[in-house]
Protein backbone atom coordinates (compact mmCIF):
# COMPACT_ATOMS: atom_id res chain seq x y z
CA UNK A 1 0.00 0.00 0.00
CA UNK A 2 1.34 3.45 -0.81
CA UNK A 3 -0.24 6.26 1.14
CA UNK A 4 -0.52 9.91 0.22
CA UNK A 5 -0.32 12.88 2.60
CA UNK A 6 -3.41 13.82 4.61
CA UNK A 7 -5.83 16.11 2.82
CA UNK A 8 -4.54 15.13 -0.62
CA UNK A 9 -7.07 16.16 -3.28
CA UNK A 10 -8.46 13.19 -5.20
CA UNK A 11 -10.56 14.83 -7.84
CA UNK A 12 -12.13 14.68 -11.22
CA UNK A 13 -12.08 17.36 -13.94
CA UNK A 14 -14.62 18.48 -16.51
CA UNK A 15 -15.27 21.57 -18.60
CA UNK A 16 -18.44 23.55 -19.27
CA UNK A 17 -18.84 23.18 -23.02
CA UNK A 18 -17.93 19.49 -22.91
CA UNK A 19 -20.60 18.48 -20.41
CA UNK A 20 -23.24 21.13 -19.73
CA UNK A 21 -25.46 21.30 -22.82
CA UNK A 22 -28.39 23.72 -22.31
CA UNK A 23 -26.74 26.18 -24.66
CA UNK A 24 -29.86 28.28 -25.07
CA UNK A 25 -31.10 28.28 -21.51
CA UNK A 26 -31.38 30.86 -18.76
CA UNK A 27 -29.81 33.67 -20.73
CA UNK A 28 -26.57 31.99 -21.82
CA UNK A 29 -24.87 33.84 -24.68
CA UNK A 30 -23.21 32.25 -27.69
CA UNK A 31 -19.63 30.94 -27.41
CA UNK A 32 -17.05 30.41 -30.15
CA UNK A 33 -17.60 26.67 -29.79
CA UNK A 34 -21.30 27.01 -30.65
CA UNK A 35 -20.26 28.83 -33.79
CA UNK A 36 -17.37 26.51 -34.65
CA UNK A 37 -19.54 23.39 -34.29
CA UNK A 38 -21.96 24.86 -36.80
CA UNK A 39 -19.24 25.13 -39.41
CA UNK A 40 -19.65 21.99 -41.47
CA UNK A 41 -16.71 19.60 -41.50
CA UNK A 42 -14.94 20.94 -38.41
CA UNK A 43 -16.19 18.35 -35.93
CA UNK A 44 -16.37 14.56 -36.19
CA UNK A 45 -19.84 13.75 -37.57
CA UNK A 46 -20.68 17.47 -37.29
CA UNK A 47 -21.51 16.91 -33.62
CA UNK A 48 -21.82 19.72 -31.08
CA UNK A 49 -22.21 20.45 -27.37
CA UNK A 50 -25.88 21.48 -27.50
CA UNK A 51 -26.84 18.65 -25.14
CA UNK A 52 -23.51 16.97 -24.31
CA UNK A 53 -23.89 15.11 -20.99
CA UNK A 54 -26.71 17.54 -20.05
CA UNK A 55 -24.93 18.27 -16.80
CA UNK A 56 -26.82 21.58 -16.62
CA UNK A 57 -29.89 19.51 -15.70
CA UNK A 58 -28.12 16.52 -14.09
CA UNK A 59 -25.67 18.41 -11.89
CA UNK A 60 -27.22 17.22 -8.61
CA UNK A 61 -27.01 13.58 -9.74
CA UNK A 62 -23.40 14.13 -10.83
CA UNK A 63 -22.47 15.59 -7.44
CA UNK A 64 -24.18 12.61 -5.76
CA UNK A 65 -22.10 10.23 -7.87
CA UNK A 66 -18.86 11.91 -6.80
CA UNK A 67 -19.95 11.90 -3.17
CA UNK A 68 -20.95 8.23 -3.33
CA UNK A 69 -17.53 7.32 -4.74
CA UNK A 70 -15.64 9.25 -2.07
CA UNK A 71 -14.06 11.82 -4.40
CA UNK A 72 -13.05 14.94 -2.43
CA UNK A 73 -12.41 17.58 -5.11
CA UNK A 74 -14.06 18.64 -8.35
CA UNK A 75 -12.53 20.80 -11.04
CA UNK A 76 -15.15 22.22 -13.39
CA UNK A 77 -15.08 25.22 -15.68
CA UNK A 78 -17.43 28.17 -15.72
CA UNK A 79 -19.04 29.10 -19.01
CA UNK A 80 -18.11 32.75 -19.55
CA UNK A 81 -21.12 33.30 -21.88
CA UNK A 82 -23.47 32.13 -19.13
CA UNK A 83 -22.14 34.83 -16.82
CA UNK A 84 -21.61 37.64 -19.34
CA UNK A 85 -23.59 36.83 -22.50
CA UNK A 86 -21.95 39.74 -24.33
CA UNK A 87 -18.50 38.98 -22.89
CA UNK A 88 -18.48 42.09 -20.74
CA UNK A 89 -21.02 44.49 -19.32
CA UNK A 90 -24.39 43.07 -18.37
CA UNK A 91 -24.22 40.19 -15.88
CA UNK A 92 -26.63 37.26 -16.26
CA UNK A 93 -27.67 36.44 -12.70
CA UNK A 94 -29.21 33.10 -13.71
CA UNK A 95 -25.78 31.95 -14.91
CA UNK A 96 -24.17 32.87 -11.61
CA UNK A 97 -27.00 31.11 -9.76
CA UNK A 98 -26.18 27.83 -11.51
CA UNK A 99 -22.57 27.78 -10.31
CA UNK A 100 -23.60 29.07 -6.90
CA UNK A 101 -25.88 26.06 -6.41
CA UNK A 102 -23.19 23.71 -7.70
CA UNK A 103 -20.58 25.11 -5.30
CA UNK A 104 -22.95 24.82 -2.35
CA UNK A 105 -23.85 21.23 -3.22
CA UNK A 106 -20.17 20.32 -3.52
CA UNK A 107 -19.29 21.90 -0.18
CA UNK A 108 -22.24 20.19 1.49
CA UNK A 109 -20.77 16.88 0.25
CA UNK A 110 -17.21 17.70 1.40
CA UNK A 111 -16.01 18.05 -2.18
CA UNK A 112 -13.66 21.00 -2.69
CA UNK A 113 -14.67 23.07 -5.73
CA UNK A 114 -11.91 24.07 -8.15
CA UNK A 115 -13.54 26.34 -10.73
CA UNK A 116 -11.58 27.07 -13.90
CA UNK A 117 -12.48 30.41 -15.45
CA UNK A 118 -11.61 29.64 -19.04
CA UNK A 119 -11.77 26.28 -20.75
CA UNK A 120 -11.88 27.64 -24.31
CA UNK A 121 -15.48 28.90 -24.62
CA UNK A 122 -14.97 32.58 -25.42
CA UNK A 123 -18.18 34.62 -25.76
CA UNK A 124 -18.79 35.09 -29.49
CA UNK A 125 -19.21 38.90 -29.22
CA UNK A 126 -15.62 39.12 -27.96
CA UNK A 127 -14.48 37.01 -30.90
CA UNK A 128 -16.38 39.33 -33.23
CA UNK A 129 -14.40 42.19 -31.71
CA UNK A 130 -11.11 40.43 -32.52
CA UNK A 131 -10.85 37.70 -29.86
CA UNK A 132 -7.66 36.79 -28.04
CA UNK A 133 -5.33 38.49 -30.52
CA UNK A 134 -6.77 41.73 -29.05
CA UNK A 135 -5.54 43.07 -25.74
CA UNK A 136 -9.09 44.18 -24.85
CA UNK A 137 -10.05 40.50 -24.47
CA UNK A 138 -7.52 40.14 -21.65
CA UNK A 139 -9.07 43.15 -19.92
CA UNK A 140 -12.57 41.67 -20.38
CA UNK A 141 -11.31 38.44 -18.79
CA UNK A 142 -10.24 40.30 -15.67
CA UNK A 143 -13.70 41.88 -15.39
CA UNK A 144 -15.28 38.45 -15.70
CA UNK A 145 -12.93 37.08 -13.02
CA UNK A 146 -14.00 39.85 -10.66
CA UNK A 147 -17.72 39.17 -11.28
CA UNK A 148 -17.24 35.49 -10.50
CA UNK A 149 -14.95 36.15 -7.56
CA UNK A 150 -17.46 38.52 -5.98
CA UNK A 151 -20.25 35.96 -6.20
CA UNK A 152 -18.40 32.76 -5.24
CA UNK A 153 -15.25 34.06 -3.54
CA UNK A 154 -16.59 33.76 0.01
CA UNK A 155 -16.79 29.95 -0.38
CA UNK A 156 -14.47 28.76 -3.14
CA UNK A 157 -11.04 27.89 -1.69
CA UNK A 158 -9.19 27.14 -4.97
CA UNK A 159 -9.33 28.89 -8.32
CA UNK A 160 -7.81 28.16 -11.73
CA UNK A 161 -7.61 30.95 -14.30
CA UNK A 162 -6.93 29.22 -17.61
CA UNK A 163 -6.98 25.70 -18.92
CA UNK A 164 -4.19 24.91 -21.38
CA UNK A 165 -3.46 28.25 -23.05
CA UNK A 166 -1.28 26.30 -25.47
CA UNK A 167 -4.25 24.46 -26.94
CA UNK A 168 -6.41 27.61 -27.06
CA UNK A 169 -3.61 29.34 -28.96
CA UNK A 170 -2.15 26.62 -31.18
CA UNK A 171 -5.17 24.43 -31.98
CA UNK A 172 -7.44 27.49 -32.17
CA UNK A 173 -5.24 29.99 -34.00
CA UNK A 174 -2.42 28.11 -35.77
CA UNK A 175 -3.82 24.73 -36.80
CA UNK A 176 -7.43 25.93 -36.97
CA UNK A 177 -8.61 22.59 -35.55
CA UNK A 178 -10.37 24.14 -32.56
CA UNK A 179 -12.55 27.25 -32.23
CA UNK A 180 -12.23 29.90 -33.52
CA UNK A 181 -10.57 28.04 -36.41
CA UNK A 182 -7.97 30.68 -37.27
CA UNK A 183 -4.68 29.77 -39.02
CA UNK A 184 -2.26 32.62 -38.55
CA UNK A 185 1.09 32.60 -36.79
CA UNK A 186 0.86 36.20 -35.60
CA UNK A 187 -2.67 35.73 -34.27
CA UNK A 188 -1.29 32.66 -32.49
CA UNK A 189 1.52 34.58 -30.87
CA UNK A 190 -0.66 37.51 -29.80
CA UNK A 191 -3.14 34.98 -28.42
CA UNK A 192 -0.38 33.42 -26.30
CA UNK A 193 0.61 36.86 -25.04
CA UNK A 194 -2.94 37.94 -24.19
CA UNK A 195 -3.88 34.64 -22.58
CA UNK A 196 -0.83 34.92 -20.32
CA UNK A 197 -1.53 38.58 -19.63
CA UNK A 198 -5.18 37.83 -18.88
CA UNK A 199 -4.07 35.14 -16.46
CA UNK A 200 -2.04 37.66 -14.47
CA UNK A 201 -4.82 40.25 -14.59
CA UNK A 202 -7.34 37.64 -13.40
CA UNK A 203 -5.09 36.60 -10.50
CA UNK A 204 -5.01 40.25 -9.43
CA UNK A 205 -8.77 40.67 -9.90
CA UNK A 206 -9.56 37.52 -7.93
CA UNK A 207 -7.19 38.40 -5.10
CA UNK A 208 -8.92 41.72 -4.58
CA UNK A 209 -12.36 40.13 -4.07
CA UNK A 210 -12.02 36.52 -2.83
CA UNK A 211 -11.24 35.13 0.63
CA UNK A 212 -7.70 36.01 1.59
CA UNK A 213 -6.79 32.35 2.10
CA UNK A 214 -7.99 31.26 -1.37
CA UNK A 215 -5.39 29.50 -3.51
CA UNK A 216 -5.06 30.56 -7.15
CA UNK A 217 -3.34 28.75 -10.01
CA UNK A 218 -3.38 27.94 -13.71
CA UNK A 219 -3.57 24.59 -15.54
CA UNK A 220 -0.91 24.14 -18.23
CA UNK A 221 -0.64 21.11 -20.48
CA UNK A 222 2.99 20.13 -20.35
CA UNK A 223 4.96 17.19 -21.68
CA UNK A 224 8.47 15.86 -21.49
CA UNK A 225 9.96 16.28 -24.95
CA UNK A 226 12.32 13.51 -26.04
CA UNK A 227 14.51 13.59 -29.17
CA UNK A 228 13.78 10.75 -31.61
CA UNK A 229 17.51 10.00 -31.81
CA UNK A 230 20.81 11.22 -30.41
CA UNK A 231 21.60 13.23 -33.53
CA UNK A 232 22.34 16.92 -32.93
CA UNK A 233 19.46 17.81 -35.33
CA UNK A 234 16.90 15.80 -33.38
CA UNK A 235 18.21 17.11 -30.06
CA UNK A 236 17.90 20.65 -31.32
CA UNK A 237 14.39 19.90 -32.63
CA UNK A 238 13.39 18.58 -29.18
CA UNK A 239 14.81 21.68 -27.55
CA UNK A 240 12.90 24.13 -29.72
CA UNK A 241 9.75 22.03 -29.34
CA UNK A 242 10.19 22.27 -25.58
CA UNK A 243 10.47 26.03 -25.93
CA UNK A 244 7.20 26.25 -27.88
CA UNK A 245 5.28 23.70 -25.83
CA UNK A 246 6.56 24.16 -22.28
CA UNK A 247 8.92 27.03 -21.58
CA UNK A 248 6.92 29.74 -23.37
CA UNK A 249 4.16 29.18 -20.80
CA UNK A 250 6.11 28.11 -17.72
CA UNK A 251 8.62 30.94 -17.61
CA UNK A 252 6.26 33.93 -17.88
CA UNK A 253 3.85 32.37 -15.36
CA UNK A 254 6.40 31.25 -12.79
CA UNK A 255 9.16 33.81 -13.23
CA UNK A 256 7.69 36.75 -15.16
CA UNK A 257 10.23 36.36 -17.96
CA UNK A 258 10.44 35.14 -21.51
CA UNK A 259 12.45 31.96 -22.00
CA UNK A 260 15.90 32.15 -23.57
CA UNK A 261 15.86 31.34 -27.27
CA UNK A 262 12.73 33.31 -28.13
CA UNK A 263 14.85 35.97 -29.85
CA UNK A 264 15.70 33.46 -32.57
CA UNK A 265 12.04 33.17 -33.58
CA UNK A 266 10.50 35.60 -36.08
CA UNK A 267 7.96 36.97 -33.61
CA UNK A 268 7.09 40.54 -32.56
CA UNK A 269 8.50 40.20 -29.06
CA UNK A 270 8.39 43.96 -28.61
CA UNK A 271 4.62 43.75 -28.15
CA UNK A 272 5.40 42.46 -24.63
CA UNK A 273 6.44 45.19 -22.22
CA UNK A 274 8.37 44.65 -18.99
CA UNK A 275 5.19 45.57 -17.10
CA UNK A 276 3.21 42.91 -18.99
CA UNK A 277 5.80 40.28 -18.11
CA UNK A 278 5.51 41.24 -14.49
CA UNK A 279 1.73 40.85 -14.69
CA UNK A 280 2.07 37.44 -16.35
CA UNK A 281 4.27 36.41 -13.42
CA UNK A 282 1.78 37.55 -10.77
CA UNK A 283 2.37 35.21 -7.85
CA UNK A 284 0.32 32.01 -8.01
CA UNK A 285 -0.11 29.50 -5.20
CA UNK A 286 -0.10 26.37 -7.31
CA UNK A 287 0.70 25.22 -10.80
CA UNK A 288 -1.81 22.81 -12.33
CA UNK A 289 -0.22 20.24 -14.62
CA UNK A 290 -2.31 18.47 -17.25
CA UNK A 291 -0.43 15.40 -18.41
CA UNK A 292 -1.47 12.79 -20.95
CA UNK A 293 1.64 11.78 -22.85
CA UNK A 294 5.20 12.73 -23.83
CA UNK A 295 6.30 14.01 -27.23
CA UNK A 296 9.04 12.27 -29.21
CA UNK A 297 10.37 14.79 -31.70
CA UNK A 298 12.38 14.63 -34.90
CA UNK A 299 14.03 17.31 -37.02
CA UNK A 300 12.03 18.01 -40.18
CA UNK A 301 12.88 21.01 -42.37
CA UNK A 302 9.32 20.93 -43.77
CA UNK A 303 7.61 21.16 -40.39
CA UNK A 304 6.10 24.60 -39.82
CA UNK A 305 6.89 26.65 -37.80
CA UNK A 306 9.68 25.02 -35.74
CA UNK A 307 11.26 22.48 -38.12
CA UNK A 308 10.38 19.85 -35.57
CA UNK A 309 7.72 17.18 -35.78
CA UNK A 310 6.29 14.66 -33.38
CA UNK A 311 6.62 10.95 -34.19
CA UNK A 312 5.03 7.89 -32.60
CA UNK A 313 7.80 5.59 -31.39
CA UNK A 314 7.66 1.88 -32.16
CA UNK A 315 7.18 -0.56 -29.34
CA UNK A 316 5.11 1.73 -27.14
CA UNK A 317 1.57 1.16 -25.99
CA UNK A 318 -1.09 3.45 -27.48
CA UNK A 319 -4.68 4.43 -26.69
CA UNK A 320 -7.24 5.89 -29.11
CA UNK A 321 -5.41 9.16 -28.62
CA UNK A 322 -1.70 9.31 -27.78
CA UNK A 323 1.08 7.08 -26.56
CA UNK A 324 0.73 5.76 -23.03
CA UNK A 325 3.87 6.77 -21.15
CA UNK A 326 3.47 6.78 -17.35
CA UNK A 327 7.08 7.72 -16.42
CA UNK A 328 6.53 11.04 -18.23
CA UNK A 329 4.34 12.39 -15.45
CA UNK A 330 7.06 11.90 -12.84
CA UNK A 331 9.78 13.25 -15.12
CA UNK A 332 7.67 16.34 -15.76
CA UNK A 333 6.81 17.03 -12.13
CA UNK A 334 10.45 16.63 -11.11
CA UNK A 335 11.65 18.92 -13.85
CA UNK A 336 9.18 21.68 -12.97
CA UNK A 337 10.06 21.46 -9.30
CA UNK A 338 13.82 21.31 -9.84
CA UNK A 339 13.62 24.46 -11.93
CA UNK A 340 11.23 26.27 -9.59
CA UNK A 341 12.32 25.33 -6.09
CA UNK A 342 14.93 28.04 -5.64
CA UNK A 343 12.93 30.96 -7.01
CA UNK A 344 9.53 29.70 -5.83
CA UNK A 345 10.11 27.49 -2.77
CA UNK A 346 6.49 27.91 -1.65
CA UNK A 347 4.98 26.79 -4.98
CA UNK A 348 2.67 23.77 -4.86
CA UNK A 349 1.92 21.48 -7.79
CA UNK A 350 -1.32 19.76 -8.66
CA UNK A 351 -2.06 17.23 -11.40
CA UNK A 352 -5.17 18.93 -12.76
CA UNK A 353 -5.81 16.44 -15.60
CA UNK A 354 -4.68 12.91 -16.37
CA UNK A 355 -6.66 10.16 -18.04
CA UNK A 356 -7.15 8.01 -21.09
CA UNK A 357 -9.82 7.40 -23.70
CA UNK A 358 -10.87 3.84 -24.20
CA UNK A 359 -13.63 2.55 -26.47
CA UNK A 360 -15.53 1.11 -23.55
CA UNK A 361 -19.15 0.04 -23.52
CA UNK A 362 -21.78 -1.16 -21.09
CA UNK A 363 -21.62 -4.96 -20.84
CA UNK A 364 -24.69 -7.24 -20.82
CA UNK A 365 -24.93 -7.07 -17.05
CA UNK A 366 -24.75 -3.29 -16.83
CA UNK A 367 -21.07 -3.02 -15.91
CA UNK A 368 -18.35 -1.16 -17.77
CA UNK A 369 -15.15 -3.19 -17.36
CA UNK A 370 -12.60 -0.55 -18.31
CA UNK A 371 -9.54 -2.36 -17.03
CA UNK A 372 -7.23 -0.43 -19.36
CA UNK A 373 -8.24 2.85 -17.76
CA UNK A 374 -7.66 1.41 -14.29
CA UNK A 375 -4.17 0.31 -15.34
CA UNK A 376 -3.43 3.74 -16.83
CA UNK A 377 -4.56 5.58 -13.70
CA UNK A 378 -2.76 3.20 -11.36
CA UNK A 379 0.51 3.52 -13.24
CA UNK A 380 0.35 7.31 -13.42
CA UNK A 381 -0.66 7.74 -9.77
CA UNK A 382 2.26 5.49 -8.84
CA UNK A 383 4.64 7.74 -10.77
CA UNK A 384 3.23 10.84 -9.07
CA UNK A 385 3.88 9.19 -5.73
CA UNK A 386 7.47 8.39 -6.69
CA UNK A 387 8.05 12.03 -7.63
CA UNK A 388 6.63 13.07 -4.25
CA UNK A 389 9.12 10.75 -2.52
CA UNK A 390 11.83 12.78 -4.23
CA UNK A 391 10.46 15.94 -2.64
CA UNK A 392 8.11 17.29 -5.31
CA UNK A 393 5.26 19.10 -3.49
CA UNK A 394 2.12 17.68 -5.13
CA UNK A 395 -1.22 18.43 -3.43
CA UNK A 396 -3.71 16.68 -5.68
CA UNK A 397 -4.50 14.45 -8.60
CA UNK A 398 -7.56 14.98 -10.84
CA UNK A 399 -8.77 12.42 -13.35
CA UNK A 400 -9.91 13.68 -16.72
CA UNK A 401 -12.80 13.12 -16.70
CA UNK A 402 -15.76 12.59 -14.40
CA UNK A 403 -18.11 11.94 -17.33
CA UNK A 404 -17.80 10.82 -20.94
CA UNK A 405 -18.19 14.05 -22.87
CA UNK A 406 -17.81 16.08 -26.05
CA UNK A 407 -14.14 15.70 -26.94
CA UNK A 408 -13.90 18.90 -29.01
CA UNK A 409 -13.31 18.30 -32.71
CA UNK A 410 -13.27 14.54 -32.11
CA UNK A 411 -16.86 14.63 -30.88
CA UNK A 412 -18.45 11.92 -28.74
CA UNK A 413 -16.40 8.98 -30.00
CA UNK A 414 -13.63 9.57 -27.42
CA UNK A 415 -14.67 8.45 -23.97
CA UNK A 416 -12.55 9.65 -21.04
CA UNK A 417 -15.07 9.33 -18.20
CA UNK A 418 -15.06 7.43 -14.93
CA UNK A 419 -18.80 7.49 -15.57
CA UNK A 420 -20.24 6.22 -18.84
CA UNK A 421 -22.85 8.39 -20.54
CA UNK A 422 -25.43 7.00 -22.90
CA UNK A 423 -25.73 10.05 -25.14
CA UNK A 424 -29.25 9.05 -26.25
CA UNK A 425 -30.81 8.55 -22.85
CA UNK A 426 -28.25 10.52 -20.76
CA UNK A 427 -28.14 7.58 -18.35
CA UNK A 428 -25.08 7.58 -16.11
CA UNK A 429 -23.28 4.28 -15.39
CA UNK A 430 -20.32 4.28 -13.05
CA UNK A 431 -17.48 2.39 -14.74
CA UNK A 432 -15.22 -0.04 -12.90
CA UNK A 433 -12.57 2.69 -13.02
CA UNK A 434 -14.89 5.06 -11.15
CA UNK A 435 -15.32 2.58 -8.31
CA UNK A 436 -11.61 1.84 -8.36
CA UNK A 437 -10.69 5.54 -8.19
CA UNK A 438 -13.23 6.09 -5.41
CA UNK A 439 -11.41 3.37 -3.48
CA UNK A 440 -8.08 5.14 -3.99
CA UNK A 441 -9.63 8.38 -2.73
CA UNK A 442 -11.18 6.76 0.32
CA UNK A 443 -8.04 4.84 1.21
CA UNK A 444 -5.88 7.83 0.29
CA UNK A 445 -3.54 5.56 -1.56
CA UNK A 446 -2.88 2.63 -3.84
CA UNK A 447 -3.11 -0.98 -2.82
CA UNK A 448 -0.21 -3.22 -3.83
C1 LIG B 1 -7.16 18.28 -22.53
C2 LIG B 1 -8.33 19.23 -22.37
C3 LIG B 1 -9.63 18.55 -22.04
C4 LIG B 1 -9.78 17.25 -22.78
C5 LIG B 1 -8.56 16.39 -22.58
C6 LIG B 1 -8.67 15.04 -23.23
O1 LIG B 1 -6.24 18.82 -23.41
O2 LIG B 1 -8.07 20.17 -21.36
O3 LIG B 1 -10.67 19.46 -22.29
O4 LIG B 1 -10.01 17.53 -24.11
O5 LIG B 1 -7.45 17.05 -23.09
Amino acid sequence: MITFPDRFYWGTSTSAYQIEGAVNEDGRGVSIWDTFCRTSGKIYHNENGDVAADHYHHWAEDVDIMASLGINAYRFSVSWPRILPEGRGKVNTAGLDFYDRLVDALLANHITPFPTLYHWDLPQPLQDAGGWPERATAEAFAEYAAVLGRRLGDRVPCWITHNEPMVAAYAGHLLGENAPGVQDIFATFSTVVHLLLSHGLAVQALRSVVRPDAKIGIALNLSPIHPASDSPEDRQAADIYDLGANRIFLEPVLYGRLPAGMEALPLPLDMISAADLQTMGERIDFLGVNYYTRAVVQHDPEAFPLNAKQIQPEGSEYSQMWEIYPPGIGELLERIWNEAKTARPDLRLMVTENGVCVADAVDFDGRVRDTRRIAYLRDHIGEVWKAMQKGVPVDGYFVWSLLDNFEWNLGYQMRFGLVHINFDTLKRTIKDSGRWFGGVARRNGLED
Side-chain angles (χ1 to χ4, degrees), residues 33-101:
W33 273 93
D34 298 300
T35 309
F36 192 65
C37 290
R38 277 176 177 64
T39 316
S40 182
K42 295 292 183 192
I43 313 287
Y44 176 77
H45 285 179
N46 288 321
E47 291 168 341
N48 59 55
D50 286 5
V51 178
D54 202 28
H55 171 77
Y56 194 76
H57 298 115
H58 290 254
W59 62 272
E61 183 184 348
D62 295 339
V63 172
D64 282 350
I65 289 174
M66 285 188 271
S68 76
L69 292 177
I71 287 165
N72 66 21
Y74 178 46
R75 172 176 173 241
F76 56 96
S77 85
V78 175
S79 158
W80 187 347
R82 276 195 206 286
I83 309 300
L84 293 144
E86 296 297 319
R88 59 201 314 174
K90 198 176 146 302
V91 174
N92 177 35
T93 315
L96 284 172
D97 292 345
F98 173 72
Y99 297 104
D100 200 278
R101 284 192 294 270

Side-chain angles (χ1 to χ4, degrees), residues 79-368:
S79 158
W80 187 347
R82 276 195 206 286
I83 309 300
L84 293 144
E86 296 297 319
R88 59 201 314 174
K90 198 176 146 302
V91 174
N92 177 35
T93 315
L96 284 172
D97 292 345
F98 173 72
Y99 297 104
D100 200 278
R101 284 192 294 270
L102 177 63
V103 163
D104 282 347
L106 291 167
L107 292 171
N109 283 288
H110 311 289
I111 300 171
T112 303
F114 277 72
T116 300
L117 270 54
Y118 189 72
H119 203 123
W120 311 347
D121 46 355
L122 188 71
Q124 183 64 40
L126 294 182
Q127 183 63 37
D128 297 340
W132 285 111
E134 291 296 322
R135 192 180 179 96
T137 304
E139 287 152 10
F141 186 66
E143 287 171 33
Y144 158 56
V147 169
L148 215 52
R150 263 187 235 110
R151 179 68 185 264
L152 303 177
D154 57 332
R155 283 154 291 154
V156 166
C158 300
W159 295 85
I160 293 175
T161 57
H162 278 287
N163 178 69
E164 304 189 351
M166 176 167 89
V167 179
Y170 298 0
H173 297 80
L174 184 66
L175 306 173
E177 290 171 354
N178 277 8
V182 173
Q183 287 177 283
D184 177 320
I185 181 102
F186 293 105
T188 306
F189 181 66
S190 46
T191 293
V192 169
V193 171
H194 294 137
L195 286 168
L196 291 171
L197 182 66
S198 73
H199 154 74
L201 293 171
V203 174
Q204 294 169 350
L206 285 173
R207 286 227 196 278
S208 64
V209 294
V210 303
R211 334 192 314 206
D213 62 344
K215 307 287 184 222
I216 306 179
I218 185 170
L220 300 180
N221 55 312
L222 302 165
S223 300
I225 314 292
H226 295 157
S229 78
D230 264 345
S231 75
E233 292 79 15
D234 284 353
R235 278 196 272 126
Q236 201 200 348
D239 185 59
I240 193 150
Y241 205 91
D242 185 67
L243 175 67
N246 295 325
R247 303 202 296 268
I248 196 175
F249 299 99
L250 278 171
E251 300 211 8
V253 164
L254 291 182
Y255 316 112
R257 66 171 188 236
L258 285 176
M262 289 287 290
E263 324 75 57
L265 303 176
L267 294 169
L269 296 186
D270 55 357
M271 73 178 280
I272 313 172
S273 68
D276 285 353
L277 272 173
Q278 206 182 343
T279 305
M280 293 175 189
E282 186 68 43
R283 201 186 147 282
I284 51 172
D285 302 291
F286 66 91
L287 179 72
V289 176
N290 293 1
Y291 174 82
Y292 291 91
T293 191
R294 66 170 169 171
V296 178
V297 169
Q298 199 169 53
H299 172 69
D300 177 359
E302 306 283 294
F304 179 78
L306 301 177
N307 298 337
K309 78 161 184 226
Q310 203 179 330
I311 59 151
Q312 303 305 337
E314 288 303 322
S316 289
E317 188 189 348
Y318 291 88
S319 70
Q320 282 180 299
M321 287 162 72
W322 310 317
E323 182 193 6
I324 298 179
Y325 188 72
I329 196 169
E331 179 184 332
L332 183 63
L333 292 168
E334 283 179 50
R335 169 206 169 159
I336 296 167
W337 180 240
N338 286 336
E339 287 170 8
K341 63 186 177 195
T342 311
R344 291 295 322 272
D346 53 349
L347 183 72
R348 310 297 299 178
L349 303 183
M350 206 91 77
V351 177
T352 34
E353 284 182 28
N354 179 234
V356 65
C357 66
V358 179
D360 38 34
V362 183
D363 291 335
F364 72 98
D365 57 354
R367 256 176 71 184
V368 180

